Amino acid sequence: MKILLIENIQHISVNSRYIISTGLLSLATVLKQKGYDVEILSFTYLFTQKIIDYSPDQMKKLEIMCDFIINKKPDIVGFTTMCNSFHSSLLLAELIKERNEKIKIILGGPQASVFPERILKEFAFIDLICYGEGENKIEAIIKGIVNNDLTSAPGIVYRENNLIIRNEDNGMVRNLDELPELDYDLIPYFRELQNISIHSGRGCPYKCVFCSTSNFWQRKYRSKSIESICKEIETVKKKLKKDDLFFEFTNDNICVDYNFFTGLCRALKEINIDWMCYVRLDSLDEDLIKHMSDSGCRMVFIGMETGSPAMQKYAGKNLNLERVDYVIDNLLKYKIRPIISFMAGFPDETEEDLKLTLNMFYKLLKKGAYRCDLHSVCVLSGTQLYDDCKDRLVLKDIYSNISDSVNFSAAHSFVRKNKDLFSHLYTIEGSLTDKYPFLEKFCSFLICGIYRLFPDTIDLLLKAFDDDILLFYKDFISNSHRFASFFSGGEHMKDFVEEIHIHNNTIKSLGEYTGKKRVDDFIFDIVYRTFLQERKAFIERFIN
């Protein structure tokens, strides 16, 4: 019985980081310990290492992937499903089934768990969906497939005699320490890693309206023991024997249990590693931040989402925005680099709400945040946001990090026919994302991406618009065809595009914009000359 597990199919960059899918690795480890022939396939690795041929044509690329899978002669192929690649997983699964209908196709993960019956109804090439956690049911599923009897396999939706049947789940894994220690030898690129994903816990008790993982984990938070986490880290260190390893704790919010987290920090200080984590703003105070820094924390990711109190309340985030400066100042004081994430396009968000978010975005960037990102609100199936907005969703060319990946006709066909399954690729009609489709790219690539290289230029530009980023955006987009056409044409999403190529286009767009504006406005003449000076300094640094 040959089982292939497919890592999330991602856009491929020359700088692609190989990121361990800890959930998939955990399933593979369970199966290997039970004696099954299991293999994890990472097509990001296979393409970047030129182990298999590559094609820029998306469907041709999927066919190459299919050929590679078929040549492995698997009996079962399992896909982990995420919103950014769900369409690609389905298209690849369809190709596999066309080539060999005897291969059983299994879907798992958050995207497949929302509407499993609907997926089986729409896509006949999918045989079975495992909803929720998989470690405590995967062996029963495989045995059921082998014996052609799935009646005893928990937590699945499958077909039998043209009927779609849902088996009752057997609940979540109560004690994460009971899961086997991850078998890193199953990761084909493990020896090449510098950044290591560590899954120290699961779940989040909060109720953000846009979040699907809180439902997937049933809003229950569980953590591994500190001893188990440290043992896993020590295992990785011994296997890789590298001095510059960086560990990323991938929990949605590692600081749900304050006592656990402070205990973990004490233990991490003893084993001497550099690490990052994901936390809520309101989990942090100066004492904890100092404790984190002393134990090796070098970076934190904070989902701020919005600078508007009204949108904080709607989103269910409910952060006290008066604490933002206190937390960020202390993170910087103790040499922890904050990455801050914002969102735009909530239903009924006003321009005043958006301006509050943009003001905070820029203030934190100037304060010294390592990165600030703005994302278009993503309407994920199974969330409160989906329930609120499902009747307002329209399919448009909105250039978000997620919808960018659907840039070929076969994927468009899936998306158009199944709005509820692909709601994350739709736009809330009348929202500010609908109104300002390039705002995400403008903030993330031009404001944040260029600020470190051209700080004086960006400051002067914003002063020219009375520090109103939205007003600057409107004027920039109307006067910079290059910027909009680059992103609308999908140039930034071509596989193997170099990040410097995106930055160069943004710099050229900024130069053309300021050069054009200087003709009629002496303030922009100052901006343009400042831009030329900073560009010269950037080129000299780049060459040297």
Side-chain angles (χ1 to χ4, degrees):
M1 177 62 62
K2 175 69 174 179
I3 303 168
L4 295 182
L5 300 180
I6 313 301
E7 280 195 356
N8 192 35
I9 301 168
Q10 304 181 51
H11 162 66
I12 302 168
S13 165
V14 291
N15 300 315
S16 284
R17 287 174 53 204
Y18 304 136
I19 302 173
I20 296 174
S21 175
T22 52
L24 206 65
L25 178 57
S26 183
L27 288 176
T29 300
V30 170
L31 289 171
K32 184 177 177 180
Q33 288 196 356
K34 297 297 182 181
Y36 290 99
D37 179 7
V38 59
E39 183 178 353
I40 294 175
L41 292 187
S42 166
F43 282 101
T44 299
Y45 174 74
L46 292 169
F47 282 127
T48 55
Q49 295 300 309
K50 299 181 180 179
I51 296 170
I52 59 176
D53 292 333
Y54 168 80
S55 172
D57 179 271
Q58 294 295 326
M59 280 308 300
K60 179 63 177 175
K61 184 172 70 173
L62 288 171
E63 289 168 1
I64 292 169
M65 295 159 74
C66 177
D67 289 341
F68 188 80
I69 289 171
I70 293 295
N71 289 336
K72 291 275 184 180
K73 296 181 170 38
D75 300 287
I76 298 172
V77 176
F79 291 87
T80 181
T81 58
M82 304 293 286
C83 61
N84 63 341
S85 64
F86 185 41
H87 53 283
S88 294
S89 297
L90 288 173
L91 288 165
L92 180 54
E94 185 175 32
L95 290 173
I96 293 168
K97 206 69 171 180
E98 288 174 355
R99 291 280 301 276
N100 187 344
E101 63 180 12
K102 293 182 180 180
I103 295 175
K104 297 297 182 182
I105 305 292
I106 302 177
L107 301 184
Q111 195 65 36
S113 294
V114 179
F115 293 130
E117 289 88 352
R118 174 66 189 280
I119 293 170
L120 288 183
K121 180 181 177 181
E122 291 295 327
F123 306 113
F125 49 87
I126 304 298
D127 296 293
L128 181 153
I129 292 173
C130 172
Y131 61 89
E133 281 183 331
E135 290 95 344
N136 59 348
K137 64 188 76 163
I138 188 65
E139 184 184 13
I141 293 171
I142 301 303
K143 285 183 177 179
I145 292 174
V146 171
N147 298 326
N148 197 29
D149 181 6
L150 291 164
T151 55
S152 299
I156 64 170
V157 179
Y158 65 103
R159 290 190 197 83
E160 187 171 289
N161 299 325
N162 295 321
L163 296 177
I164 295 176
I165 299 171
R166 174 187 281 255
N167 288 359
E168 186 176 348
D169 199 3
N170 59 349
M172 295 187 294
V173 178
R174 293 186 179 182
N175 182 0
L176 296 181
D177 281 358
E178 293 177 356
L179 297 175
E181 186 175 346
L182 297 178
D183 185 345
Y184 288 99
D185 291 332
L186 286 162
I187 300 293
Y189 47 83
F190 178 64
R191 301 292 170 183
E192 301 178 31
L193 290 173
Q194 299 293 139
N195 298 330
I196 309 296
S197 301
I198 298 290
H199 208 82
S200 58
R202 295 175 177 176
C204 178
Y206 295 95
K207 297 189 293 185
C208 298
V209 299
F210 52 82
C211 181
S212 63
T213 58
S214 60
N215 289 334
F216 185 79
W217 303 118
Q218 301 176 30
R219 291 185 55 222
K220 296 177 181 178
Y221 177 77
R222 296 154 294 153
S223 63
K224 295 180 180 179
S225 68
I226 294 171
E227 294 75 16
S228 176
I229 295 167
C230 291
K231 182 181 178 183
E232 184 173 326
I233 292 171
E234 293 288 8
T235 297
V236 171
K237 290 175 67 177
K238 288 177 182 177
K239 281 181 173 290
L240 291 181
K241 298 178 181 177
K242 296 178 181 179
D243 296 328
D244 54 351
L245 291 175
F246 188 83
F247 291 84
E248 177 180 350
F249 294 100
T250 57
N251 314 39
D252 290 326
N253 180 12
I254 198 171
C255 198
V256 171
D257 184 331
Y258 185 90
N259 290 331
F260 163 80
F261 186 50
T262 53
L264 178 62
C265 286
R266 285 192 294 271
L268 294 177
K269 186 175 182 179
E270 294 299 318
I271 60 179
N272 189 30
I273 61 167
D274 291 335
W275 56 277
M276 72 164 290
C277 63
Y278 297 72
V279 294
R280 277 178 62 99
L281 179 87
D282 50 13
S283 300
L284 301 175
D285 58 31
E286 183 173 3
D287 287 343
L288 181 58
I289 291 170
K290 183 179 185 304
H291 198 30
M292 292 164 64
S293 178
D294 290 343
S295 67
C297 182
R298 301 293 174 253
M299 187 180 295
V300 294
F301 180 97
I302 298 174
M304 199 78 70
E305 320 313 357
T306 173
S308 160
M311 291 299 100
Q312 280 284 336
K313 184 176 180 179
Y314 169 74
K317 195 77 179 186
N318 295 316
L319 295 177
N320 179 2
L321 297 177
E322 294 180 359
R323 296 189 75 250
V324 171
D325 286 331
Y326 164 78
V327 171
I328 301 303
D329 286 344
N330 275 294
L331 287 169
L332 295 171
K333 175 181 176 181
Y334 292 101
K335 310 299 185 207
I336 298 176
R337 298 179 294 178
I339 299 174
I340 314 296
S341 177
F342 293 93
M343 293 183 176
F346 288 105
D348 305 320
E349 180 181 26
T350 67
E351 290 203 358
E352 289 308 310
D353 292 321
L354 178 58
K355 286 180 180 180
L356 289 171
T357 295
L358 296 177
N359 287 342
M360 183 177 290
F361 177 102
Y362 192 57
K363 181 179 76 170
L364 297 184
L365 190 63
K366 290 188 67 175
K367 190 182 282 285
Y370 178 67
R371 196 175 77 229
C372 289
D373 293 318
L374 182 77
H375 303 284
S376 300
V377 166
C378 178
V379 184
L380 293 166
S381 301
T383 63
Q384 182 62 50
L385 181 62
Y386 172 80
D387 292 337
D388 291 347
C389 303
K390 59 185 177 183
D391 295 329
R392 294 174 55 185
L393 297 179
V394 292
L395 188 61
K396 293 190 174 183
D397 290 328
I398 300 300
Y399 314 107
S400 72
N401 288 341
I402 293 176
S403 63
D404 283 333
S405 61
V406 189
N407 57 359
F408 54 107
S409 59
H412 291 164
S413 177
F414 274 6
V415 172
R416 281 193 298 269
K417 292 177 182 176
N418 300 281
K419 180 163 70 172
D420 51 351
L421 299 181
F422 295 98
S423 60
H424 51 282
L425 302 174
Y426 283 67
T427 302
I428 303 171
E429 189 170 27
S431 69
L432 294 178
T433 296
D434 187 9
K435 188 175 182 179
Y436 304 124
F438 295 100
L439 185 62
E440 175 183 302
K441 303 303 184 192
F442 174 82
C443 288
S444 295
F445 287 102
L446 193 144
I447 300 295
C448 179
I450 299 299
Y451 180 75
R452 288 190 189 87
L453 305 174
F454 298 82
D456 293 338
T457 302
I458 299 299
D459 276 342
L460 286 171
L461 277 167
L462 286 174
K463 284 184 174 63
F465 290 97
D466 297 322
D467 293 322
D468 188 329
I469 292 179
L470 189 58
L471 192 61
F472 174 29
Y473 164 83
K474 294 175 184 178
D475 191 72
F476 181 81
I477 293 300
S478 64
N479 286 282
S480 178
H481 176 72
R482 171 190 286 271
F483 186 84
S485 63
F486 179 82
F487 289 107
S488 62
E491 290 296 312
H492 64 299
M493 284 298 293
K494 288 182 177 179
D495 286 333
F496 297 105
V497 65
E498 295 191 54
E499 191 171 327
I500 189 66
H501 179 56
I502 301 174
H503 282 309
N504 283 341
N505 180 77
T506 306
I507 292 169
K508 288 179 180 178
S509 299
L510 184 61
E512 289 179 359
Y513 169 75
T514 53
K516 179 179 180 181
K517 295 284 289 187
R518 72 182 294 216
V519 175
D520 300 315
D521 192 326
F522 77 93
I523 294 177
F524 277 88
D525 184 62
I526 298 173
V527 174
Y528 183 68
R529 284 189 278 114
T530 302
F531 166 79
L532 292 178
Q533 291 173 356
E534 291 189 313
R535 187 182 66 176
K536 180 181 178 182
F538 163 68
I539 292 172
E540 289 174 351
R541 287 199 305 271
F542 184 76
I543 292 174
N544 295 330

